[in-house]
Short mmCIF file of all heavy atoms in Angstrom, two decimals:
data_model
loop_
_atom_site.label_atom_id
_atom_site.label_comp_id
_atom_site.label_asym_id
_atom_site.label_seq_id
_atom_site.Cartn_x
_atom_site.Cartn_y
_atom_site.Cartn_z
N MET A 1 -3.85 -11.22 0.83
CA MET A 1 -3.13 -9.98 0.99
C MET A 1 -3.21 -9.51 2.44
O MET A 1 -2.22 -9.06 2.99
CB MET A 1 -3.71 -8.94 0.04
CG MET A 1 -3.22 -7.56 0.29
SD MET A 1 -1.88 -6.91 -0.68
CE MET A 1 -2.20 -7.41 -2.30
N GLU A 2 -4.39 -9.62 3.04
CA GLU A 2 -4.57 -9.17 4.42
C GLU A 2 -3.61 -9.89 5.37
O GLU A 2 -2.96 -9.26 6.20
CB GLU A 2 -6.01 -9.40 4.86
CG GLU A 2 -6.28 -9.07 6.30
CD GLU A 2 -7.68 -9.46 6.73
OE1 GLU A 2 -8.45 -10.01 5.92
OE2 GLU A 2 -8.00 -9.23 7.90
N GLU A 3 -3.51 -11.20 5.22
CA GLU A 3 -2.65 -11.96 6.13
C GLU A 3 -1.18 -11.58 5.94
O GLU A 3 -0.45 -11.43 6.92
CB GLU A 3 -2.82 -13.46 5.93
CG GLU A 3 -1.97 -14.22 6.91
CD GLU A 3 -2.47 -15.61 7.18
OE1 GLU A 3 -3.66 -15.88 6.97
OE2 GLU A 3 -1.66 -16.42 7.62
N VAL A 4 -0.76 -11.43 4.70
CA VAL A 4 0.64 -11.05 4.44
C VAL A 4 0.91 -9.66 5.01
O VAL A 4 1.92 -9.43 5.66
CB VAL A 4 0.96 -11.09 2.93
CG1 VAL A 4 2.34 -10.52 2.66
CG2 VAL A 4 0.84 -12.51 2.40
N LEU A 5 0.00 -8.72 4.81
CA LEU A 5 0.18 -7.37 5.34
C LEU A 5 0.26 -7.39 6.86
O LEU A 5 1.11 -6.72 7.46
CB LEU A 5 -0.96 -6.46 4.88
CG LEU A 5 -0.91 -5.02 5.40
CD1 LEU A 5 0.37 -4.33 5.01
CD2 LEU A 5 -2.12 -4.25 4.91
N CYS A 6 -0.57 -8.17 7.50
CA CYS A 6 -0.59 -8.22 8.97
C CYS A 6 0.62 -8.95 9.56
O CYS A 6 1.07 -8.62 10.65
CB CYS A 6 -1.87 -8.89 9.46
SG CYS A 6 -3.33 -7.88 9.18
N THR A 7 1.15 -9.93 8.85
CA THR A 7 2.24 -10.72 9.41
C THR A 7 3.63 -10.28 8.92
O THR A 7 4.62 -10.49 9.62
CB THR A 7 2.05 -12.22 9.12
OG1 THR A 7 1.93 -12.40 7.71
CG2 THR A 7 0.83 -12.75 9.84
N HIS A 8 3.71 -9.68 7.73
CA HIS A 8 5.00 -9.27 7.16
C HIS A 8 4.91 -7.93 6.45
O HIS A 8 5.22 -7.84 5.25
CB HIS A 8 5.53 -10.34 6.19
CG HIS A 8 5.76 -11.65 6.83
ND1 HIS A 8 6.82 -11.88 7.69
CD2 HIS A 8 5.07 -12.81 6.78
CE1 HIS A 8 6.77 -13.13 8.12
NE2 HIS A 8 5.71 -13.71 7.59
N PRO A 9 4.52 -6.86 7.14
CA PRO A 9 4.38 -5.57 6.46
C PRO A 9 5.71 -5.04 5.92
O PRO A 9 5.73 -4.22 4.99
CB PRO A 9 3.81 -4.65 7.54
CG PRO A 9 4.24 -5.27 8.82
CD PRO A 9 4.24 -6.75 8.57
N GLU A 10 6.83 -5.51 6.46
CA GLU A 10 8.14 -5.02 6.04
C GLU A 10 8.49 -5.39 4.61
O GLU A 10 9.40 -4.80 4.02
CB GLU A 10 9.23 -5.54 6.99
CG GLU A 10 9.56 -7.01 6.86
CD GLU A 10 8.58 -7.96 7.53
OE1 GLU A 10 7.64 -7.52 8.22
OE2 GLU A 10 8.77 -9.18 7.37
N ILE A 11 7.78 -6.34 4.00
CA ILE A 11 8.11 -6.73 2.63
C ILE A 11 7.62 -5.73 1.60
O ILE A 11 8.07 -5.76 0.46
CB ILE A 11 7.60 -8.15 2.28
CG1 ILE A 11 6.08 -8.19 2.20
CG2 ILE A 11 8.16 -9.18 3.23
CD1 ILE A 11 5.53 -9.50 1.66
N PHE A 12 6.73 -4.82 2.00
CA PHE A 12 6.22 -3.82 1.07
C PHE A 12 7.10 -2.57 1.14
O PHE A 12 7.47 -2.13 2.23
CB PHE A 12 4.76 -3.48 1.39
CG PHE A 12 3.86 -4.66 1.26
CD1 PHE A 12 3.43 -5.35 2.38
CD2 PHE A 12 3.46 -5.10 0.01
CE1 PHE A 12 2.61 -6.45 2.26
CE2 PHE A 12 2.63 -6.21 -0.12
CZ PHE A 12 2.21 -6.89 1.01
N PRO A 13 7.46 -2.01 0.00
CA PRO A 13 8.41 -0.88 -0.01
C PRO A 13 7.82 0.38 0.63
O PRO A 13 6.63 0.63 0.56
CB PRO A 13 8.67 -0.66 -1.50
CG PRO A 13 7.47 -1.22 -2.19
CD PRO A 13 6.98 -2.35 -1.34
N SER A 14 8.73 1.15 1.24
CA SER A 14 8.32 2.44 1.80
C SER A 14 8.55 3.51 0.73
O SER A 14 9.35 3.34 -0.19
CB SER A 14 9.10 2.77 3.06
OG SER A 14 10.47 2.91 2.76
N LEU A 15 7.82 4.60 0.87
CA LEU A 15 8.02 5.73 -0.02
C LEU A 15 9.33 6.40 0.37
O LEU A 15 9.61 6.57 1.57
CB LEU A 15 6.85 6.71 0.08
CG LEU A 15 5.48 6.12 -0.30
CD1 LEU A 15 4.41 7.18 -0.13
CD2 LEU A 15 5.48 5.59 -1.71
N LYS A 16 10.12 6.73 -0.59
CA LYS A 16 11.46 7.27 -0.36
C LYS A 16 11.43 8.42 0.64
O LYS A 16 10.72 9.40 0.45
CB LYS A 16 12.03 7.74 -1.69
CG LYS A 16 13.51 7.92 -1.70
CD LYS A 16 13.99 8.22 -3.10
CE LYS A 16 15.46 7.89 -3.20
NZ LYS A 16 15.92 7.95 -4.57
N GLY A 17 12.19 8.27 1.73
CA GLY A 17 12.30 9.31 2.73
C GLY A 17 11.18 9.32 3.77
O GLY A 17 11.15 10.20 4.62
N TYR A 18 10.26 8.35 3.73
CA TYR A 18 9.14 8.31 4.66
C TYR A 18 9.00 6.92 5.27
O TYR A 18 9.48 5.94 4.72
CB TYR A 18 7.82 8.66 3.95
CG TYR A 18 7.80 10.04 3.39
CD1 TYR A 18 8.17 10.29 2.08
CD2 TYR A 18 7.41 11.12 4.18
CE1 TYR A 18 8.15 11.58 1.55
CE2 TYR A 18 7.38 12.41 3.67
CZ TYR A 18 7.76 12.62 2.35
OH TYR A 18 7.74 13.89 1.84
N ARG A 19 8.27 6.84 6.38
CA ARG A 19 7.93 5.54 6.97
C ARG A 19 6.57 5.07 6.46
O ARG A 19 5.95 4.20 7.02
CB ARG A 19 7.90 5.64 8.50
CG ARG A 19 9.30 5.83 9.08
CD ARG A 19 9.33 5.56 10.56
NE ARG A 19 8.92 4.18 10.82
CZ ARG A 19 8.11 3.82 11.81
NH1 ARG A 19 7.64 4.70 12.65
NH2 ARG A 19 7.80 2.56 11.98
N LEU A 20 6.09 5.68 5.40
CA LEU A 20 4.81 5.33 4.78
C LEU A 20 5.09 4.29 3.70
O LEU A 20 5.97 4.48 2.86
CB LEU A 20 4.17 6.58 4.18
CG LEU A 20 2.78 6.43 3.61
CD1 LEU A 20 1.78 6.10 4.72
CD2 LEU A 20 2.36 7.71 2.91
N HIS A 21 4.36 3.20 3.73
CA HIS A 21 4.54 2.11 2.77
C HIS A 21 3.35 2.08 1.82
O HIS A 21 2.27 2.54 2.14
CB HIS A 21 4.64 0.77 3.51
CG HIS A 21 5.83 0.70 4.40
ND1 HIS A 21 6.97 0.02 4.05
CD2 HIS A 21 6.07 1.25 5.61
CE1 HIS A 21 7.85 0.14 5.01
NE2 HIS A 21 7.33 0.88 5.98
N ARG A 22 3.59 1.49 0.65
CA ARG A 22 2.52 1.41 -0.35
C ARG A 22 2.46 0.01 -0.94
O ARG A 22 3.47 -0.59 -1.28
CB ARG A 22 2.75 2.40 -1.48
CG ARG A 22 1.68 2.30 -2.56
CD ARG A 22 1.79 3.38 -3.57
NE ARG A 22 3.02 3.25 -4.34
CZ ARG A 22 3.33 4.03 -5.35
NH1 ARG A 22 2.52 5.03 -5.70
NH2 ARG A 22 4.45 3.86 -6.00
N ILE A 23 1.24 -0.47 -1.07
CA ILE A 23 0.96 -1.70 -1.81
C ILE A 23 0.29 -1.27 -3.10
O ILE A 23 -0.67 -0.49 -3.07
CB ILE A 23 -0.01 -2.62 -1.05
CG1 ILE A 23 0.55 -3.02 0.30
CG2 ILE A 23 -0.36 -3.85 -1.90
CD1 ILE A 23 -0.45 -3.72 1.19
N ARG A 24 0.79 -1.75 -4.21
CA ARG A 24 0.17 -1.43 -5.51
C ARG A 24 -0.45 -2.71 -6.06
O ARG A 24 0.23 -3.70 -6.26
CB ARG A 24 1.20 -0.90 -6.49
CG ARG A 24 1.72 0.46 -6.07
CD ARG A 24 2.77 0.95 -7.00
NE ARG A 24 2.13 1.46 -8.21
CZ ARG A 24 2.77 2.09 -9.16
NH1 ARG A 24 4.06 2.29 -9.07
NH2 ARG A 24 2.12 2.53 -10.21
N ILE A 25 -1.74 -2.65 -6.28
CA ILE A 25 -2.46 -3.79 -6.85
C ILE A 25 -2.76 -3.41 -8.30
O ILE A 25 -3.50 -2.46 -8.56
CB ILE A 25 -3.74 -4.10 -6.07
CG1 ILE A 25 -3.38 -4.40 -4.61
CG2 ILE A 25 -4.51 -5.25 -6.72
CD1 ILE A 25 -4.57 -4.53 -3.69
N SER A 26 -2.16 -4.14 -9.22
CA SER A 26 -2.30 -3.83 -10.63
C SER A 26 -3.74 -3.92 -11.09
O SER A 26 -4.48 -4.82 -10.66
CB SER A 26 -1.44 -4.78 -11.48
OG SER A 26 -0.09 -4.62 -11.16
N GLY A 27 -4.09 -3.02 -11.97
CA GLY A 27 -5.41 -3.06 -12.55
C GLY A 27 -5.44 -4.00 -13.75
O GLY A 27 -4.42 -4.56 -14.15
N PHE A 28 -6.61 -4.20 -14.27
CA PHE A 28 -6.77 -4.96 -15.50
C PHE A 28 -7.96 -4.36 -16.21
O PHE A 28 -8.64 -3.48 -15.65
CB PHE A 28 -6.88 -6.47 -15.25
CG PHE A 28 -7.95 -6.88 -14.28
CD1 PHE A 28 -9.21 -7.26 -14.71
CD2 PHE A 28 -7.69 -6.91 -12.91
CE1 PHE A 28 -10.18 -7.64 -13.81
CE2 PHE A 28 -8.66 -7.31 -12.00
CZ PHE A 28 -9.91 -7.67 -12.46
N PRO A 29 -8.26 -4.73 -17.45
CA PRO A 29 -9.31 -4.05 -18.22
C PRO A 29 -10.61 -3.87 -17.43
O PRO A 29 -11.16 -4.82 -16.89
CB PRO A 29 -9.52 -4.95 -19.44
CG PRO A 29 -8.18 -5.61 -19.63
CD PRO A 29 -7.65 -5.82 -18.22
N GLY A 30 -11.02 -2.61 -17.29
CA GLY A 30 -12.24 -2.29 -16.59
C GLY A 30 -12.09 -2.08 -15.09
O GLY A 30 -13.02 -1.66 -14.42
N VAL A 31 -10.91 -2.39 -14.54
CA VAL A 31 -10.66 -2.23 -13.10
C VAL A 31 -9.36 -1.45 -12.92
O VAL A 31 -8.31 -1.89 -13.38
CB VAL A 31 -10.55 -3.60 -12.39
CG1 VAL A 31 -10.26 -3.42 -10.91
CG2 VAL A 31 -11.81 -4.42 -12.59
N PRO A 32 -9.42 -0.28 -12.27
CA PRO A 32 -8.19 0.53 -12.13
C PRO A 32 -7.24 -0.06 -11.09
O PRO A 32 -7.62 -0.86 -10.25
CB PRO A 32 -8.72 1.88 -11.66
CG PRO A 32 -10.02 1.57 -11.00
CD PRO A 32 -10.58 0.38 -11.72
N GLU A 33 -5.99 0.39 -11.16
CA GLU A 33 -4.98 0.02 -10.17
C GLU A 33 -5.39 0.59 -8.81
O GLU A 33 -6.02 1.64 -8.74
CB GLU A 33 -3.64 0.61 -10.60
CG GLU A 33 -2.51 0.36 -9.64
CD GLU A 33 -1.22 0.97 -10.15
OE1 GLU A 33 -0.70 0.50 -11.18
OE2 GLU A 33 -0.75 1.93 -9.51
N LEU A 34 -5.02 -0.10 -7.73
CA LEU A 34 -5.31 0.36 -6.39
C LEU A 34 -4.00 0.51 -5.62
O LEU A 34 -3.15 -0.39 -5.65
CB LEU A 34 -6.21 -0.65 -5.66
CG LEU A 34 -6.51 -0.39 -4.19
CD1 LEU A 34 -7.33 0.90 -4.02
CD2 LEU A 34 -7.24 -1.57 -3.58
N SER A 35 -3.83 1.65 -4.96
CA SER A 35 -2.69 1.87 -4.06
C SER A 35 -3.21 1.94 -2.64
O SER A 35 -4.16 2.67 -2.36
CB SER A 35 -1.96 3.17 -4.41
OG SER A 35 -1.31 3.06 -5.65
N ILE A 36 -2.59 1.17 -1.74
CA ILE A 36 -2.94 1.18 -0.32
C ILE A 36 -1.72 1.68 0.44
O ILE A 36 -0.63 1.14 0.28
CB ILE A 36 -3.33 -0.24 0.16
CG1 ILE A 36 -4.55 -0.73 -0.63
CG2 ILE A 36 -3.62 -0.22 1.66
CD1 ILE A 36 -4.88 -2.19 -0.37
N TYR A 37 -1.93 2.70 1.26
CA TYR A 37 -0.85 3.32 2.03
C TYR A 37 -1.00 2.95 3.50
O TYR A 37 -2.10 2.98 4.04
CB TYR A 37 -0.88 4.84 1.86
CG TYR A 37 -0.69 5.26 0.43
CD1 TYR A 37 -1.79 5.42 -0.42
CD2 TYR A 37 0.58 5.49 -0.08
CE1 TYR A 37 -1.61 5.81 -1.74
CE2 TYR A 37 0.76 5.88 -1.39
CZ TYR A 37 -0.34 6.04 -2.23
OH TYR A 37 -0.16 6.40 -3.53
N PHE A 38 0.12 2.60 4.15
CA PHE A 38 0.06 2.18 5.55
C PHE A 38 1.38 2.44 6.24
O PHE A 38 2.42 2.64 5.61
CB PHE A 38 -0.30 0.70 5.65
CG PHE A 38 0.77 -0.23 5.14
CD1 PHE A 38 1.70 -0.79 6.02
CD2 PHE A 38 0.86 -0.55 3.81
CE1 PHE A 38 2.70 -1.64 5.57
CE2 PHE A 38 1.86 -1.39 3.34
CZ PHE A 38 2.78 -1.93 4.22
N THR A 39 1.35 2.44 7.56
CA THR A 39 2.54 2.43 8.41
C THR A 39 2.36 1.24 9.35
O THR A 39 1.28 0.66 9.43
CB THR A 39 2.71 3.73 9.22
OG1 THR A 39 1.60 3.87 10.09
CG2 THR A 39 2.83 4.94 8.32
N TYR A 40 3.42 0.92 10.10
CA TYR A 40 3.31 -0.18 11.06
C TYR A 40 4.34 0.00 12.16
O TYR A 40 5.32 0.73 12.03
CB TYR A 40 3.46 -1.54 10.38
CG TYR A 40 4.84 -1.81 9.82
CD1 TYR A 40 5.79 -2.48 10.59
CD2 TYR A 40 5.19 -1.41 8.54
CE1 TYR A 40 7.05 -2.74 10.08
CE2 TYR A 40 6.45 -1.66 8.03
CZ TYR A 40 7.38 -2.32 8.80
OH TYR A 40 8.63 -2.57 8.30
N ASP A 41 4.08 -0.67 13.27
CA ASP A 41 5.06 -0.78 14.36
C ASP A 41 5.10 -2.23 14.79
O ASP A 41 4.57 -3.10 14.09
CB ASP A 41 4.74 0.20 15.51
CG ASP A 41 3.38 -0.04 16.16
OD1 ASP A 41 2.86 -1.20 16.10
OD2 ASP A 41 2.83 0.90 16.75
N GLU A 42 5.69 -2.52 15.93
CA GLU A 42 5.83 -3.92 16.37
C GLU A 42 4.50 -4.62 16.61
O GLU A 42 4.41 -5.84 16.52
CB GLU A 42 6.65 -3.98 17.65
CG GLU A 42 8.10 -3.63 17.46
CD GLU A 42 8.88 -3.72 18.75
OE1 GLU A 42 8.35 -4.22 19.77
OE2 GLU A 42 10.04 -3.27 18.75
N ASP A 43 3.45 -3.85 16.92
CA ASP A 43 2.18 -4.43 17.31
C ASP A 43 1.05 -4.29 16.30
O ASP A 43 0.10 -5.07 16.32
CB ASP A 43 1.70 -3.82 18.63
CG ASP A 43 2.70 -4.04 19.75
OD1 ASP A 43 3.20 -5.18 19.87
OD2 ASP A 43 2.99 -3.08 20.47
N MET A 44 1.10 -3.26 15.47
CA MET A 44 -0.05 -2.93 14.63
C MET A 44 0.36 -2.49 13.24
O MET A 44 1.46 -1.97 13.04
CB MET A 44 -0.85 -1.77 15.25
CG MET A 44 -1.43 -2.05 16.61
SD MET A 44 -2.89 -3.06 16.56
CE MET A 44 -4.09 -1.91 16.01
N VAL A 45 -0.57 -2.68 12.29
CA VAL A 45 -0.49 -2.09 10.95
C VAL A 45 -1.58 -1.04 10.90
O VAL A 45 -2.73 -1.31 11.25
CB VAL A 45 -0.69 -3.15 9.85
CG1 VAL A 45 -0.77 -2.50 8.48
CG2 VAL A 45 0.42 -4.19 9.89
N TYR A 46 -1.23 0.17 10.47
CA TYR A 46 -2.17 1.29 10.43
C TYR A 46 -2.44 1.66 8.98
O TYR A 46 -1.54 2.14 8.28
CB TYR A 46 -1.60 2.50 11.17
CG TYR A 46 -1.20 2.20 12.58
CD1 TYR A 46 0.10 1.82 12.89
CD2 TYR A 46 -2.13 2.28 13.62
CE1 TYR A 46 0.47 1.52 14.20
CE2 TYR A 46 -1.76 1.99 14.93
CZ TYR A 46 -0.46 1.61 15.21
OH TYR A 46 -0.09 1.32 16.49
N LEU A 47 -3.65 1.41 8.52
CA LEU A 47 -4.03 1.79 7.16
C LEU A 47 -4.28 3.29 7.13
O LEU A 47 -5.04 3.82 7.94
CB LEU A 47 -5.27 1.03 6.72
CG LEU A 47 -5.12 -0.49 6.70
CD1 LEU A 47 -6.43 -1.15 6.27
CD2 LEU A 47 -3.99 -0.92 5.79
N MET A 48 -3.60 3.97 6.21
CA MET A 48 -3.68 5.43 6.15
C MET A 48 -4.60 5.91 5.03
O MET A 48 -5.31 6.90 5.19
CB MET A 48 -2.29 6.02 5.95
CG MET A 48 -1.28 5.58 7.01
SD MET A 48 -1.76 5.95 8.70
CE MET A 48 -1.53 7.70 8.72
N ASP A 49 -4.56 5.23 3.87
CA ASP A 49 -5.34 5.70 2.72
C ASP A 49 -5.37 4.59 1.67
O ASP A 49 -4.52 3.71 1.65
CB ASP A 49 -4.69 6.95 2.13
CG ASP A 49 -5.60 7.73 1.19
OD1 ASP A 49 -6.81 7.42 1.14
OD2 ASP A 49 -5.11 8.64 0.52
N ALA A 50 -6.34 4.67 0.82
CA ALA A 50 -6.43 3.80 -0.36
C ALA A 50 -6.90 4.67 -1.51
O ALA A 50 -7.77 5.53 -1.33
CB ALA A 50 -7.41 2.66 -0.13
N LYS A 51 -6.28 4.49 -2.66
CA LYS A 51 -6.60 5.35 -3.80
C LYS A 51 -6.66 4.53 -5.08
O LYS A 51 -5.74 3.76 -5.37
CB LYS A 51 -5.53 6.44 -3.95
CG LYS A 51 -5.80 7.38 -5.08
CD LYS A 51 -4.73 8.45 -5.19
CE LYS A 51 -5.06 9.33 -6.38
NZ LYS A 51 -3.99 10.26 -6.68
N LEU A 52 -7.75 4.69 -5.82
CA LEU A 52 -7.84 4.11 -7.16
C LEU A 52 -7.05 4.99 -8.10
O LEU A 52 -7.16 6.21 -8.06
CB LEU A 52 -9.30 4.04 -7.62
CG LEU A 52 -10.20 3.05 -6.88
CD1 LEU A 52 -11.63 3.21 -7.36
CD2 LEU A 52 -9.71 1.63 -7.10
N GLN A 53 -6.19 4.38 -8.90
CA GLN A 53 -5.42 5.12 -9.88
C GLN A 53 -6.15 5.04 -11.22
O GLN A 53 -6.05 4.05 -11.92
CB GLN A 53 -4.01 4.50 -10.03
CG GLN A 53 -3.17 4.58 -8.80
CD GLN A 53 -2.79 6.00 -8.45
OE1 GLN A 53 -3.04 6.44 -7.36
NE2 GLN A 53 -2.20 6.70 -9.36
N LEU A 54 -6.90 6.08 -11.52
CA LEU A 54 -7.60 6.12 -12.79
C LEU A 54 -6.59 6.27 -13.91
O LEU A 54 -5.48 6.74 -13.70
CB LEU A 54 -8.61 7.26 -12.79
CG LEU A 54 -9.63 7.19 -11.64
CD1 LEU A 54 -10.54 8.41 -11.66
CD2 LEU A 54 -10.43 5.91 -11.72
N GLU A 55 -6.97 5.88 -15.13
CA GLU A 55 -6.01 5.90 -16.25
C GLU A 55 -5.37 7.26 -16.43
O GLU A 55 -4.20 7.36 -16.74
CB GLU A 55 -6.72 5.46 -17.53
CG GLU A 55 -7.01 3.97 -17.54
CD GLU A 55 -7.58 3.52 -18.86
OE1 GLU A 55 -7.37 4.20 -19.88
OE2 GLU A 55 -8.26 2.47 -18.84
N ASP A 56 -6.12 8.36 -16.20
CA ASP A 56 -5.55 9.71 -16.37
C ASP A 56 -4.51 10.02 -15.30
O ASP A 56 -3.67 10.88 -15.47
CB ASP A 56 -6.60 10.81 -16.24
CG ASP A 56 -7.96 10.46 -16.74
OD1 ASP A 56 -8.15 9.37 -17.26
OD2 ASP A 56 -8.84 11.31 -16.60
N ASP A 57 -4.57 9.34 -14.13
CA ASP A 57 -3.67 9.60 -13.00
C ASP A 57 -2.45 8.71 -12.98
O ASP A 57 -1.63 8.84 -12.10
CB ASP A 57 -4.41 9.39 -11.67
CG ASP A 57 -5.58 10.32 -11.49
OD1 ASP A 57 -5.63 11.36 -12.16
OD2 ASP A 57 -6.45 9.99 -10.65
N GLN A 58 -2.33 7.76 -13.90
CA GLN A 58 -1.23 6.79 -13.85
C GLN A 58 0.11 7.50 -13.86
O GLN A 58 0.31 8.47 -14.58
CB GLN A 58 -1.30 5.82 -15.05
CG GLN A 58 -2.49 4.90 -15.02
CD GLN A 58 -2.41 3.86 -13.93
OE1 GLN A 58 -1.35 3.36 -13.63
NE2 GLN A 58 -3.54 3.56 -13.35
N GLU A 59 1.05 7.01 -13.03
CA GLU A 59 2.39 7.60 -12.93
C GLU A 59 3.24 7.17 -14.08
O GLU A 59 3.17 6.12 -14.58
CB GLU A 59 3.04 7.19 -11.61
CG GLU A 59 2.26 7.66 -10.43
CD GLU A 59 2.79 7.08 -9.11
OE1 GLU A 59 3.71 6.24 -9.12
OE2 GLU A 59 2.26 7.46 -8.08
#
């Protein structure tokens, strides 16, 4: 995941109306879903936040 994010960040969708992108890593029994938020430019990927999506918070 790290290599793909660093070399092709454009493949991950942006949040509607923002330059903020999100990677969603699906959870499985006993492990919650993880959302990673980032922006990028020509030279760098900037990690902004990471959030565990607990079952009560699922969209």
Side-chain angles (χ1 to χ4, degrees):
M1 169 98 42
E2 176 186 1
E3 182 156 338
V4 173
L5 178 59
C6 290
T7 56
H8 299 287
E10 72 281 355
I11 68 171
F12 298 102
S14 63
L15 299 179
K16 198 173 202 171
Y18 297 93
R19 290 195 60 222
L20 185 65
H21 297 258
R22 178 173 67 177
I23 301 170
R24 292 177 78 172
I25 301 172
S26 298
F28 54 95
V31 179
E33 178 180 293
L34 175 65
S35 291
I36 299 172
Y37 299 90
F38 68 95
T39 62
Y40 67 93
D41 61 25
E42 291 181 10
D43 301 315
M44 298 283 284
V45 173
Y46 305 93
L47 299 179
M48 305 303 287
D49 196 10
K51 181 180 178 188
L52 291 174
Q53 296 292 125
L54 304 176
E55 287 185 23
D56 327 357
D57 298 340
Q58 293 290 324
E59 298 172 356

